[in-house]
Amino acid sequence: MTEPLRVLVHGASGRMGRALLRLAGERDDLVVVAAAGRSPSADAPDLARTPAAPYLAAADLTDAPPFQVAIDFSLPAGFDAVLGLCQQRGVALVSGTTGLQPAQHAALDRAAADIPVLWSANFSLGIAILSELVERAAAALRGWDCDIVEAHHTRKLDAPSGTALALGALAEQGGAQPRYASVRAGDIVGEHLVQFATAGERIELVHRATDRDIFARGALHAAASLAGRPAGAYRLRDLF
Ligand SMILES: NC(=O)c1ccc[n+]([C@@H]2O[C@H](COP(=O)([O-])OP(=O)(O)OC[C@H]3O[C@@H](n4cnc5c(N)ncnc54)[C@H](OP(=O)(O)O)[C@@H]3O)[C@@H](O)[C@H]2O)c1
């Protein structure tokens, strides 16, 4: 039997991190060997259930035991440290952290010369399909207005969402000039509307996420597929 893949979860005390730890525990092809966050967590024992999977505060990240892939759903302030650790250890990085600065995306691109990396603003299969529809619509509907409206829970920090910006970039490639609007309300997990409008008609493409487990499942699948590949910048569609 092959050994389970050794995974570090970064941002483990957050909404996504907790979903990752729970869903990782349901798989036998990977094992979480360390969970990490910004501060020492009051309920760390819940997060790392055995002494073999310690909970690490940001200051202790470099003490992480050996791992083969890191899954990072933290915040931009935590991203550089986990990227640096993966480069130092020569292991893969899957990141879903949004709101990264251009310099952080550039650092990720540089790291791809040495390690396999995958960053995606959205790990759901539905958004992967929506992306293809947006590309097609934008290329076919030259001159139409393009508006992207995204809605998320009130604790989301970045706006527009990383997914809205990624959809907008695809629309731009097709010739559209997207405008953005953001709604922050209640506990909305994530909704994206891409609208193309012209005189007399309108197309609305909508994706609604109702459970953040879809993102965590996609990230775990990506991690299992990415570890052990040659260095490079991978896209989700390369791995699904
Ligand atoms: N790509 C996707 O599919 C997708 C889906 C959902 C969310 N996201 C993104 O994923 C990220 C996390 O979302 P969330 O809702 O889980 O956020 P959250 O609940 O606020 O959790 C953030 C996590 O990051 C940790 N963190 C913050 N600053 C850090 C630092 N400087 N060093 C190390 N760790 C740090 C926090 O640790 P403490 O608890 O110790 O502060 C916590 O564990 C966000 O960027 C969000 O936009 C992406």
Side-chain angles (χ1 to χ4, degrees):
M1 213 179 97
T2 49
E3 290 290 310
L5 187 70
R6 297 168 63 83
V7 178
L8 177 141
V9 173
H10 190 244
S13 53
R15 285 173 287 269
M16 281 300 303
R18 286 168 187 273
L20 285 162
L21 292 178
R22 177 169 45 77
L23 293 169
E26 296 173 5
R27 298 176 63 134
D28 52 15
D29 61 337
L30 49 83
V31 59
V32 175
V33 295
R38 173 173 27 202
S39 40
S41 173
D43 51 3
D46 288 347
L47 297 169
R49 283 152 297 159
T50 69
Y55 188 84
L56 301 160
D60 303 321
L61 187 62
T62 52
D63 295 339
F67 62 95
Q68 293 161 287
V69 57
I71 306 179
D72 165 59
F73 279 80
S74 59
L75 295 179
F79 176 80
D80 297 349
V82 72
L83 176 63
L85 181 67
C86 289
Q87 281 182 287
Q88 195 184 59
R89 303 272 185 106
V91 299
L93 172 65
V94 169
S95 176
T97 299
T98 62
L100 296 180
Q101 297 298 313
Q104 292 178 302
H105 281 288
L108 191 60
D109 288 343
R110 283 195 302 277
D114 303 319
I115 58 171
V117 297
L118 165 64
W119 177 86
S120 175
N122 197 299
F123 279 85
S124 92
L125 178 59
I127 286 287
I129 302 303
L130 176 66
S131 302
E132 291 183 8
L133 295 173
V134 168
E135 263 179 321
R136 253 180 91 181
L141 303 172
R142 298 286 168 142
W144 289 38
D145 292 329
C146 175
D147 290 275
I148 300 179
V149 183
E150 55 97 353
H152 283 87
H153 54 89
T154 49
R155 288 157 72 184
K156 183 166 177 64
L157 297 177
D158 51 320
S161 69
T163 303
L165 294 171
L167 291 167
L170 291 171
E172 271 182 53
Q173 281 170 28
Q177 293 176 304
R179 294 172 297 208
Y180 300 91
S182 299
V183 175
R184 294 289 173 263
D187 61 355
I188 300 169
V189 173
E191 299 185 0
H192 292 87
L193 159 71
V194 184
Q195 173 181 283
F196 294 92
T198 190
E201 57 182 321
R202 183 160 62 129
I203 291 175
E204 294 180 341
L205 300 168
V206 188
H207 179 267
R208 294 193 178 89
T210 55
D211 184 346
R212 56 177 56 84
D213 280 9
I214 57 169
F215 309 125
R217 281 205 182 87
L220 288 167
H221 172 80
S225 172
L226 188 69
R229 290 193 185 233
Y234 291 80
R235 298 168 310 170
L236 207 49
R237 64 172 81 168
D238 299 330
L239 305 184
F240 267 149

